[in-house]
Each structure stands twice: as C-alpha cells, then as structure tokens.
Amino acid sequence: PAHVYLLEDAYCLLRLRREDEHDAVHVVDYAFGTPAGRARLWSFLSTFTGQARSLTLQLPTEDPLLWDVPEFLRPSPHPLQVRIVDVKAALEQLTSPTETTFSLAVRDDFCDWNARTFQVHLHPERIQVEPRPQATAAELTLDVRALAALLCGSLSAEAGASTGAWEGSAAAARALAALGGSRRAFAPEPDYF
C-alpha cells in the first residue's frame, strides 16, 4: 500500500517494502511549494534513518542535492565541476544581454575574499563588480556553488528559487543566469574528488 504524508507546503507519497530481509522506502511522488516546504520534506524523509536500509527517490537534474552525489551513483550524470575562486574577476570577464544593477551577497566557506556583498552593474559592453560594506543588505544572496551553477547554465533561476539555492530578487537571479547565454558546461570525464 502507498502512504501519503501531508506537510506544511509539501507532500509525499511513498511505499514501504521488504527487500533482501531489510525494510526499504520508495518515494513514488513528492512536491513542495516553497524552500521551507522542501526543507520540511527532506527533514521528514530523514526520520526513516535507522528504520529502513534504503530510501529511493528521483530528483530533477537541477536539484542541489545532486551536487554532492558522486557521478557514478547517478542514473544520469551531471557533468559539471566548477569552482569560482574570485567572484569579481569571474563576473567582470562576462557581458550581459541587459543592463541592470543589484547587490549580491556571496557565501563561501573556503575563499574569504568571496564571502562578501558586492554591487553588480551588468551592461552589454562591460560588467562592474565592487565590494560593499558587509552590513549592507543584499538584494540576492547565494552560495558560491549556486553562483557557479547559475553562470554555467547548470541551474536555472527558477530551479534555484524552488530549491532555496538563492534568496531574494528573482530578477537579479535571472540576470546572473543569462550571463552564461544558452551554453552549458560539459566535461566528459569529470573527476570524483
């Protein structure tokens, strides 16, 4: 039998099975309406830890959970491995199809020079990026990994909004995603470290 669980801003439909003398959970369907609903869904599914040996579900290719899963464990590998070590330099070498200005707060656990707030001015001829005081509230806040995924076409602004990969202005997130154009990064043999 299938079991339906209704959470605030989320639901899931799952089946409990017995496989090789162990209990297994198979998520048949799930949905969430907000990033908070998504977090509640993953929190709920984590309650099966210790009760079932495995939990299976299908994730969309843009889901940030796949960033940490080794390529060889995925049914359809995501071929991207990108690291931005200098946000200012990375953005300033690009051009924008539109002109807009916004403030961008970047979280980066490894490069403290990236972990700051920037004033970003996008223009078809040139992009300018200047650090701002940390106390300044930003229009768009994201992790440096989400920024790399947006710039490379691996994460759409819409998927980033629904999964909580960024917070704030949807217009600013779409403007960053447009910097990569229609190109998608591809590495045929990514390494696994």
Side-chain angles (χ1 to χ4, degrees):
H3 302 274
V4 178
Y5 294 89
L6 181 62
L7 311 167
E8 186 178 344
D9 291 334
Y11 82 89
C12 73
L13 171 71
L14 55 86
R15 287 197 171 97
L16 304 174
R17 298 190 290 214
R18 190 84 174 150
E19 295 177 355
D20 300 326
E21 303 299 317
H22 299 305
D23 292 324
V25 177
H26 176 69
V27 180
V28 178
D29 188 26
Y30 65 94
F32 48 86
T34 63
R38 178 179 184 268
R40 277 189 276 283
L41 175 64
W42 299 144
S43 179
F44 166 73
L45 292 176
S46 73
T47 63
F48 289 97
T49 302
Q51 299 178 50
R53 185 175 193 175
S54 66
L55 184 141
T56 58
L57 74 153
Q58 184 175 3
L59 293 169
T61 57
E62 295 181 318
D63 197 293
L65 282 179
L66 292 176
W67 293 348
D68 294 324
V69 177
E71 300 286 338
F72 55 84
L73 293 179
R74 298 183 197 164
S76 55
H78 185 285
L80 180 67
Q81 181 176 358
V82 176
R83 178 68 162 104
I84 294 177
V85 294
D86 187 336
V87 169
K88 180 175 168 54
L91 291 176
E92 286 184 341
Q93 69 179 331
L94 302 171
T95 57
S96 174
T98 60
E99 184 173 359
T100 187
T101 300
F102 57 90
S103 55
L104 171 69
V106 178
R107 294 184 300 265
D108 191 330
D109 295 332
F110 299 103
C111 301
D112 57 355
W113 56 89
N114 279 342
R116 61 184 333 145
T117 302
F118 300 92
Q119 184 70 22
V120 179
H121 178 71
L122 304 181
H123 190 274
E125 294 177 10
R126 183 170 179 244
I127 294 178
Q128 293 175 300
V129 180
E130 296 302 327
R132 291 181 66 184
Q134 287 299 96
T136 308
E139 294 170 65
L140 179 66
T141 302
L142 45 65
D143 185 88
V144 72
R145 290 170 47 167
L147 177 61
L150 277 173
L151 293 177
C152 293
S154 172
L155 177 70
S156 68
E158 291 73 21
S162 67
T163 60
W166 58 263
E167 301 163 5
S169 168
R174 282 193 293 274
L176 284 177
L179 297 180
S182 60
R183 301 182 306 274
R184 289 183 62 101
F186 177 72
E189 294 183 6
D191 47 33
Y192 301 112
F193 64 88

